[in-house]
Amino acid sequence: MAAATTLDIPASYYRDTVAVGLDACPPLEGDQRADVCVIGGGVTGCSAALHLAERGYSVRLLEAREVGFGASGRSGGQILPGLGTDIATVEHALGRERARAIWEMSREAVRLTAGLVERHAIPCDLAWGFLHAAVKPRHVRELQAFQERMARDYEYTDMAWLEGPALRERVVTDIYPGALYEGEGGHLHPLNYTLGLARAAQRAGVTICEESAVQTIRRGQPARVETDGGSVTADFVVVAANAYLGGLVPELEGRTMRAAN
Ligand SMILES: Cc1cc2nc3c(=O)[nH]c(=O)nc-3n(C[C@H](O)[C@H](O)[C@H](O)COP(=O)(O)OP(=O)(O)OC[C@H]3O[C@@H](n4cnc5c(N)ncnc54)[C@H](O)[C@@H]3O)c2cc1C
């Protein structure tokens, strides 16, 4: 089955400022064996490969293009607790206790990111502090209500409302009527972070094959993952190919949507 990775790699600041070199990642050749075959070299695949290798599994990671080719190498690089949807919606759907558990899980993800950067000395310009800027008076009310709610119901207090000179210290403009500063949020260089995870995975024993688009997954015990150049027979397969899956996993077709190139 053909994989849908036909996009060119776009030029970017991130790509121009790569600070992490990987050991050679030649394309997959011949028939190989591994405990786990990971498909996709973004943060999901590289982190999964790293953590599995640290637990003693032999891991081979197959990347269709090059590590960080996908969203991981060109995202905004913003790190924030929370979900894409606001916490009030989560609470409404699942109740307060579950929403609190999800919120705590998202904070744990932020701490995990920070821990990985530190443990593997990843040069990704990690910096802490995030401003939710209000553009309209309505945003002022909403952000202040969010701050109150999070302190009251989630014991999440590392936030401060800034306006006037206090805000001007952070951003060189008077255009915003105010902003919510969040101490647990931050920013990193996403491509260097992804490459840093891949380098850590290599050091932990993972074999990474770039230019190795998976064409077929033959399910079974073990499974067989095939590219044009070779195959990996593995007890477990981790599919971490994001929205570039094509028809590789038919059950997921129709559940992902490419928003833009
Ligand atoms: C424009 C943009 C801005 C974003 N900003 C942020 C942000 O500021 N903060 C944030 O937290 N998140 C942000 N995100 C989301 C975040 O980037 C993604 O959630 C995350 O990078 C997904 O990582 P991934 O490893 O799952 O997927 P990807 O990084 O997309 O990796 C998937 C990989 O799988 C490979 N692949 C696909 N098919 C195959 C195949 N058949 N065989 C082998 N390999 C294959 C691809 O080549 C790709 O390298 C942003 C996303 C976008 C698009």
Side-chain angles (χ1 to χ4, degrees):
M1 207 169 299
T5 49
T6 54
L7 307 174
D8 285 330
I9 300 176
S12 75
Y13 164 79
Y14 297 139
R15 198 156 282 284
D16 285 347
T17 51
V18 163
V20 182
L22 299 183
D23 295 340
C25 304
L28 180 69
E29 275 184 18
D31 298 323
Q32 310 295 338
R33 182 72 170 92
D35 295 331
V36 185
C37 179
V38 175
I39 304 172
V43 284
T44 307
C46 293
S47 176
L50 168 62
H51 286 96
L52 286 161
E54 285 178 338
R55 282 160 183 74
Y57 292 92
S58 66
V59 183
R60 192 170 279 261
L61 185 153
L62 305 179
E63 163 54 47
R65 301 291 295 268
E66 57 183 49
V67 168
F69 163 76
S72 301
R74 18 181 163 153
S75 82
Q78 299 166 31
I79 310 168
L80 273 177
L83 305 181
T85 192
D86 76 277
I87 199 69
T89 309
V90 180
E91 219 179 274
H92 184 71
L94 301 174
R96 170 81 51 84
E97 279 320 300
R98 286 189 179 136
R100 279 171 60 103
I102 289 170
W103 177 259
E104 284 309 319
M105 200 163 67
S106 75
R107 292 177 76 188
E108 191 186 331
V110 171
R111 290 193 295 273
L112 174 66
T113 304
L116 287 167
V117 170
E118 192 183 341
R119 187 148 56 93
H120 300 290
I122 301 175
C124 60
D125 311 322
L126 175 59
W128 292 108
F130 192 95
L131 278 183
H132 303 267
V135 177
K136 306 172 182 175
R138 174 169 64 82
H139 296 158
V140 172
R141 292 192 297 278
E142 287 171 359
L143 286 167
Q144 290 178 336
F146 174 67
Q147 181 185 8
E148 259 177 54
R149 177 187 207 117
M150 295 314 290
R152 186 187 63 229
D153 298 337
Y154 291 77
E155 290 117 43
Y156 184 68
T157 53
D158 191 5
M159 292 201 278
W161 182 253
L162 303 179
E163 53 187 36
L167 180 53
R168 195 103 191 11
E169 277 179 24
R170 305 266 180 189
V171 282
V172 192
T173 174
D174 293 315
I175 201 163
Y176 303 117
L180 186 60
Y181 174 84
E182 191 167 350
E184 283 193 29
H187 186 265
L188 50 63
H189 184 305
L191 182 55
N192 279 332
Y193 175 61
T194 309
L195 290 166
L197 291 177
R199 186 183 59 183
Q202 285 183 322
R203 288 179 179 166
V206 174
T207 303
I208 299 179
C209 303
E210 295 183 323
E211 299 298 332
S212 300
V214 172
Q215 307 295 342
T216 311
I217 304 172
R218 296 195 191 283
R219 299 185 194 204
Q221 289 298 334
R224 190 177 145 97
V225 178
E226 297 173 351
T227 69
D228 283 342
S231 69
V232 180
T233 300
D235 300 319
F236 301 95
V237 177
V238 175
V239 179
N242 202 2
Y244 308 94
L245 263 178
L248 202 57
V249 181
E251 303 93 299
L252 294 179
E253 240 176 300
R255 291 180 179 267
T256 57
M257 181 181 76
R258 184 179 294 173
N261 283 351

